[in-house]
Amino acid sequence: MLERSGIFAGDDPFAIARAWLAEAERTEINDPNAIALATTDQKGMPNARMVLLKEIEPDAFLFYTNYGSVKAREIEAAGVAAFVVHWKSLRRQIRVRGVTSREDGSKADAYFSSRSLQSRLGAWASRQSEPLTSRAKLLADVAKVTAAQGSAPRRPSFWGGIRLRPVEIEFWADGAFRLHDRFQWRRETVEDEWTVTRLYP
């Protein structure tokens, strides 16, 4: 029986992740839910960028984006993605790899409605990842969208959630003399049971 105690204890990796995030929300100065999301293009060239994790569901991680963005197009083509979240204040990180799917139903509608009006209008105006001639052009686009959409813009069809269901989750915590603690939760498919392994630092 693998011994796991303290911050690593528990039989549900999503519960552990939620507990770590809740702790980070009390200690991180900015954006404790910021994750470095990794994708690959059709040639296998990797890409990484920061996005905000919006929910840890019972069996998945959820963030939102413009479906026309580079990250969304790469995710759509590959069907997989990975991310790491690092909390400097806690000296901990979580690494996640898994399969992806869209969340473009009522949950996405509800989240979009919860955003500020300016953010909702910005989502309509931004052609994310496409070339932009100037900031003035962007502001002009926002003005046009504001006139067209008014004060209650609905969620655009090109904007929604990406759900990542992991096949691998690794919890890492800093240790003295670089003897860190690492526990890897792994399964072959999202339907399988987890196997937990302690890894060398």
Side-chain angles (χ1 to χ4, degrees), residues 97-144:
R97 299 196 300 165
V99 298
T100 56
S101 61
R102 284 189 179 189
E103 169 50 67
D104 53 9
S106 58
K107 180 173 278 194
D109 291 338
Y111 172 67
F112 188 79
S113 296
S114 75
R115 289 160 59 101
S116 70
L117 175 59
Q118 291 78 10
S119 293
R120 283 177 282 158
L121 293 170
W124 270 99
S126 177
R127 299 175 181 178
Q128 197 171 92
S129 302
E130 293 186 15
L132 175 64
T133 55
S134 68
R135 184 161 186 85
K137 174 66 168 65
L138 176 60
L139 296 178
D141 289 344
V142 171
K144 288 179 184 177

Side-chain angles (χ1 to χ4, degrees), residues 16 24 31-32 36 39 56 70 76-79 96 103 106-107 113 115 120 140 157 167-168 171 176 182 197:
I16 297 172
D31 297 329
T39 58
I56 303 176
V70 169
E76 189 78 17
V96 177
E103 169 50 67
S106 58
K107 180 173 278 194
S113 296
R115 289 160 59 101
R120 283 177 282 158
S157 61
V167 294
E168 188 177 301
F171 296 93
R182 296 173 63 188
T197 305

Side-chain angles (χ1 to χ4, degrees), residues 33-130:
N33 60 330
I35 60 175
L37 176 70
T39 58
T40 56
D41 66 16
Q42 292 183 338
K43 295 181 179 180
M45 179 66 74
N47 245 328
R49 77 290 285 160
M50 304 303 296
V51 301
L52 296 180
L53 178 67
K54 287 300 178 179
E55 185 177 353
I56 303 176
E57 297 179 320
D59 65 347
F61 299 87
L62 184 63
F63 62 92
Y64 292 87
T65 189
N66 184 314
Y67 290 141
S69 66
V70 169
K71 61 180 172 293
R73 295 198 307 268
E74 291 181 348
I75 287 171
E76 189 78 17
V80 294
F83 73 79
V84 60
V85 54
H86 173 250
W87 296 298
K88 188 173 183 179
S89 63
L90 297 179
R91 297 182 180 273
R92 296 181 206 167
Q93 66 180 6
I94 302 174
R95 295 174 58 233
V96 177
R97 299 196 300 165
V99 298
T100 56
S101 61
R102 284 189 179 189
E103 169 50 67
D104 53 9
S106 58
K107 180 173 278 194
D109 291 338
Y111 172 67
F112 188 79
S113 296
S114 75
R115 289 160 59 101
S116 70
L117 175 59
Q118 291 78 10
S119 293
R120 283 177 282 158
L121 293 170
W124 270 99
S126 177
R127 299 175 181 178
Q128 197 171 92
S129 302
E130 293 186 15

